[in-house]
Amino acid sequence: MMKRLFASAALAALTAAPAFAHFQLVYSPDPNIERPGDVPLKLIFWHPMENGHAMDMGAPEDLFALFKGDRIDLTGSLSPITFAGADNTAAAYQATLPVKRNGDYIVALTPAPYYEGSEDIYIQQITKVFFNKGGVPTGWNEPAGLPTEFVPLNKPNNVIAGSTFSAQLLSEGEPVPGAEIEIEYIAAEPDMDTNAAGAASVGAMPGGALVAITDENGVFTFGIPRAGHWGFAALGSGPETEHQGKELSQDAVIWIKAYDLE
Ligand SMILES: [Cu+2]
């Protein structure tokens, strides 16, 4: 169970990382779609909980959606944008998800490895986010076949604020026990028209990153305290450990949307 995860990447992150966590976003305001059409996606590498520093993304390696097991290539819709965070601007991307039929659309991004100079490592956050049309569930709990990924155990597009969210962490299809999971909230939601961070709805938490640990089945649970976009990341859970002669942290990221019950 003591994968290299704890041996190197996670320990290094615990000691050297800034108080808050960087998260790859695949952002769109509303995962619940009523009508057919193109859903805009913003791909941003950012510190969204502290509304902090944004990082320059390279051209993504892959971007696709799964619908009822069919793979929809989204790379043709990618175009570069500049994202303006509270502190700085950074290279980011936008894309579109064509939604036609009722059901679940699992979107998966494999970004280019990002070089983090302060740690002399590459970071690649393989990111999943979920859309649904018509309220018809068709496989949100199926793995997407990524090198590392979270498989949700609660429907990810409409979690009730005040309930819990659980997911299983996989690496090459196998559960990852004992993994450190960083938990993040988008405090300032990106504006879809201006590609700028909006006003922050909450301040940064005292005590640094929120963390949970996966159990023997690779499962973690977190109580979702408020509505909005919540992200979960496992650092170094992927099988690739090296890129261009340097350490690679190949991470899994999942985003969910929580709503108030009103
Ligand atoms: Cu960071």
Side-chain angles (χ1 to χ4, degrees):
M1 154 242 156
M2 294 293 275
K3 292 195 71 159
R4 92 195 94 66
L5 204 58
F6 260 161
S8 61
L11 266 186
L14 278 173
T15 52
F20 294 91
H22 42 252
F23 268 69
Q24 177 66 55
L25 275 66
V26 179
Y27 178 81
S28 201
D30 194 350
N32 295 299
I33 314 295
E34 300 294 327
R35 277 174 213 88
D38 283 343
V39 176
L41 308 173
K42 304 290 183 179
L43 285 45
I44 300 164
F45 193 32
W46 192 24
H47 295 81
M49 192 149 183
E50 58 185 309
N51 192 16
H53 191 75
M55 285 75 71
D56 286 324
M57 287 182 64
E61 290 185 356
D62 199 9
L63 179 67
F64 67 91
L66 280 181
F67 178 77
K68 295 184 177 174
D70 289 339
R71 194 183 201 279
I72 307 165
D73 183 11
L74 304 179
T75 56
S77 73
L78 281 165
S79 64
I81 59 172
T82 299
F83 173 70
D87 293 353
N88 69 321
T89 60
Y93 283 81
Q94 62 187 4
T96 52
L97 167 68
V99 168
K100 299 189 178 87
R101 292 149 63 200
N102 285 350
D104 291 310
Y105 294 76
I106 305 175
V107 174
L109 166 67
T110 304
Y114 168 84
Y115 180 68
E116 175 54 61
S118 70
E119 295 174 65
D120 196 30
I121 63 167
Y122 282 93
I123 299 166
Q124 183 179 44
Q125 297 205 316
I126 301 172
T127 301
K128 275 169 82 173
V129 64
F130 300 80
F131 296 87
N132 179 274
K133 180 174 175 294
V136 180
T138 60
W140 52 267
N141 57 336
E142 298 291 332
L146 299 165
T148 184
E149 65 182 303
F150 288 102
V151 175
L153 301 174
N154 299 94
K155 194 144 70 81
N157 54 296
N158 63 352
V159 177
I160 301 174
S163 72
T164 60
F165 175 74
S166 301
Q168 184 181 41
L169 176 62
L170 302 180
S171 180
E172 296 186 297
E174 297 298 320
V176 184
E180 182 186 312
I181 308 301
E182 293 188 343
I183 300 157
E184 193 92 349
Y185 181 71
I186 300 185
E189 297 192 1
D191 184 292
M192 297 300 282
D193 294 324
T194 62
N195 298 321
S201 61
V202 294
M205 282 277 295
L210 305 175
V211 172
I213 304 287
T214 59
D215 69 12
E216 64 275 15
N217 298 311
V219 172
F220 78 89
T221 295
F222 180 70
I224 303 293
R226 64 181 282 139
H229 295 261
W230 287 90
F232 305 88
L235 304 188
S237 59
E240 295 295 329
T241 59
E242 203 181 295
H243 180 73
Q244 294 188 347
K246 295 191 185 296
E247 182 179 336
L248 171 69
S249 180
Q250 193 179 45
D251 309 343
V253 171
I254 185 173
W255 286 99
I256 65 166
K257 177 97 186 257
Y259 296 86
D260 286 320
L261 184 61
E262 7 190 34

